[in-house]
Amino acid sequence: MNHPIHRPRRLRRNEALRGLVRETRLSTAGLIYPLFVCPGTQVRQEVNSMPGVFQQSADKIVEDCREIEALGIPGVMLFGLPEKKDPRGASSISSTGVVQRAIEAIRKANLNLLIFTDVCLCEYTDHGHCGVIENGEVANDATLPILAEQALSHARAGADIVAPSDMMDGRVAAIRKKLDEHKFENIAILSYAAKYCSGFYGPFREAADSAPQFGDRRSYQMDPANAREALKEVALDLEEGADMVMVKPALPYLDVIRQVRDRFEVPVAAYNVSGEYAMVKAAVQKGWLDERRVVVEILTGIQRAGAGIILTYHAKDLARWLKAC
Ligand code: PBG
């Protein structure tokens, strides 16, 4: 019989008190905003299933980056929509590729922004898989040199952090070795270490035009049922030289984020993915949810679970809301 001595409601009486005892404080300092770069100039095409998210040419990306910087968001994650696709994703390693050019343009604008790049083949291959195909399968080891070249080309263009999302085994080691051989030992690796084979990537595949043309990604992305395996993936990537690790998606995997946070001494990121964003946007459009309330609640939950870094399409909105309060 604790009551009436203990009355937890005493500390909930007003906002000043609630603010004082708040355990999780969202801040723009941990946000990364994903951007989709396409060829051309003056292109800004909204993604149907992701209201407020655009495919943009490099010039428009730079404009967006100025706004992102002004909002206090520390970094962007670049994804590319190349002019041409082929079986080996050749355009992904070109020094004149869409992402490489966008990196250079952002660098030239001299912004105080960290440039993260997604390293993967799925946006660049005509079959849409994250690696090259041999005998009808996604070939692990044959994919590694291409990923390493791609990471190197991003570093050469001026990226700060490369983020492999392909889920090939050994890719972190291959990328680290390649970067170091070319004197890019200071370029960090954020590995998508625990990336699940998720239905929540649907809208992204429209945004990045990267849907697999046959089969699915179950032979390389993780089974949603597994958490212990995620810890193994993280341990392997750290052994191979990852500086930071990511869990993706975020909401269905909060337990995994928590376990990774508790087990490892590195920065942990979570990717609040396209489908998680689209669900909120759709319900808000119908008038069924209060956008600001649920977005703050979702991102607070992801941070409370243990993610110090959150990649989210809500980043600009959240930064505006945090500025206003
Ligand atoms: C793969 C990649 C994907 C996402 C980020 N990197 C999609 C996939 O694996 O099919 C998804 C991001 C999102 O859904 O917001 N390069």
Side-chain angles (χ1 to χ4, degrees):
M1 274 293 276
N2 284 335
H3 175 80
I5 296 188
H6 295 287
R7 291 180 185 270
R9 288 184 53 190
R10 277 184 200 123
L11 301 184
R12 294 180 202 141
R13 286 180 61 223
N14 57 45
E15 184 49 29
L17 268 171
R18 291 190 292 271
L20 188 74
V21 301
R22 190 157 290 138
E23 297 174 32
T24 307
R25 296 179 207 274
L26 272 186
S27 132
T28 47
L31 300 178
I32 300 172
Y33 189 61
L35 291 171
F36 299 95
V37 195
C38 65
T41 51
Q42 296 294 305
V43 184
R44 185 171 157 89
Q45 169 82 35
E46 192 163 28
V47 179
N48 200 21
S49 51
M50 300 175 74
V53 172
F54 300 83
Q55 299 173 341
Q56 303 183 89
S57 50
D59 53 336
K60 288 287 182 185
I61 290 275
V62 173
E63 275 178 36
D64 210 359
C65 283
R66 284 187 212 286
E67 192 187 335
I68 293 160
E69 183 203 38
L71 285 167
I73 295 168
V76 293
M77 171 74 82
L78 300 180
F79 295 94
L81 291 107
E83 221 139 345
K84 272 202 226 105
K85 299 184 190 243
D86 64 43
R88 302 180 59 78
S91 59
S92 74
I93 61 173
S94 161
S95 60
T96 56
V98 271
V99 166
Q100 291 81 355
R101 286 219 159 123
I103 300 168
E104 285 168 5
I106 300 169
R107 275 278 161 263
K108 234 168 123 191
N110 233 329
L111 300 170
N112 186 20
L113 264 189
L114 293 168
I115 305 177
F116 292 73
T117 58
D118 185 83
V119 173
C120 193
L121 291 194
C122 66
E123 299 127 68
Y124 305 92
T125 50
D126 50 12
H127 46 74
H129 277 289
C130 302
V132 296
I133 308 292
E134 283 176 0
N135 307 318
E137 286 192 17
V138 175
N140 194 90
D141 295 10
T143 301
L144 301 183
I146 310 177
L147 294 168
E149 280 299 331
Q150 190 185 133
L152 176 62
S153 75
H154 292 169
R156 281 188 170 134
D160 297 295
I161 295 131
V162 293
S165 69
D166 51 282
M167 288 300 277
M168 298 301 119
D169 295 328
R171 91 270 211 216
V172 172
I175 290 170
R176 186 69 273 160
K177 183 160 175 277
K178 189 73 160 184
L179 291 175
D180 290 357
E181 278 169 8
H182 291 82
K183 302 263 179 296
F184 286 109
E185 63 276 349
N186 290 328
I187 301 301
I189 299 176
L190 163 61
S191 113
Y192 288 68
K195 178 173 177 182
Y196 286 89
C197 190
S198 170
F200 288 96
Y201 305 148
F204 172 93
R205 291 180 188 170
E206 184 199 335
D209 184 24
S210 64
Q213 299 303 302
F214 66 90
D216 54 42
R217 305 208 201 287
R218 282 174 225 254
S219 76
Y220 43 106
Q221 297 181 344
M222 284 182 56
D223 186 325
N226 295 355
R228 284 192 297 271
E229 188 187 348
L231 301 177
K232 177 178 177 184
E233 282 282 5
V234 168
L236 290 172
D237 283 6
L238 291 176
E239 258 173 47
E240 290 179 31
D243 300 283
M244 302 181 268
V245 292
M246 192 198 296
V247 175
K248 177 186 171 189
L251 288 182
Y253 303 96
L254 295 177
D255 59 321
V256 177
I257 295 171
R258 168 49 52 199
Q259 290 184 62
V260 171
R261 170 67 291 152
D262 287 345
R263 188 82 61 102
F264 300 95
E265 312 299 325
V266 293
V268 176
Y271 201 140
N272 175 222
V273 300
S274 57
E276 300 175 84
Y277 176 82
M279 285 195 301
V280 170
K281 285 289 183 183
V284 167
Q285 278 183 355
K286 285 198 172 271
W288 291 347
L289 290 174
D290 174 337
E291 181 168 22
R292 180 169 170 168
R293 235 184 122 169
V294 298
V295 168
V296 168
E297 188 172 339
I298 285 170
L299 298 178
T300 300
I302 296 170
Q303 188 179 317
R304 196 189 60 239
I309 302 167
I310 303 176
L311 292 95
T312 178
Y313 305 97
H314 298 293
K316 282 162 73 175
D317 286 334
L318 180 70
R320 279 190 208 105
W321 297 329
L322 291 174
K323 252 188 176 170
C325 49

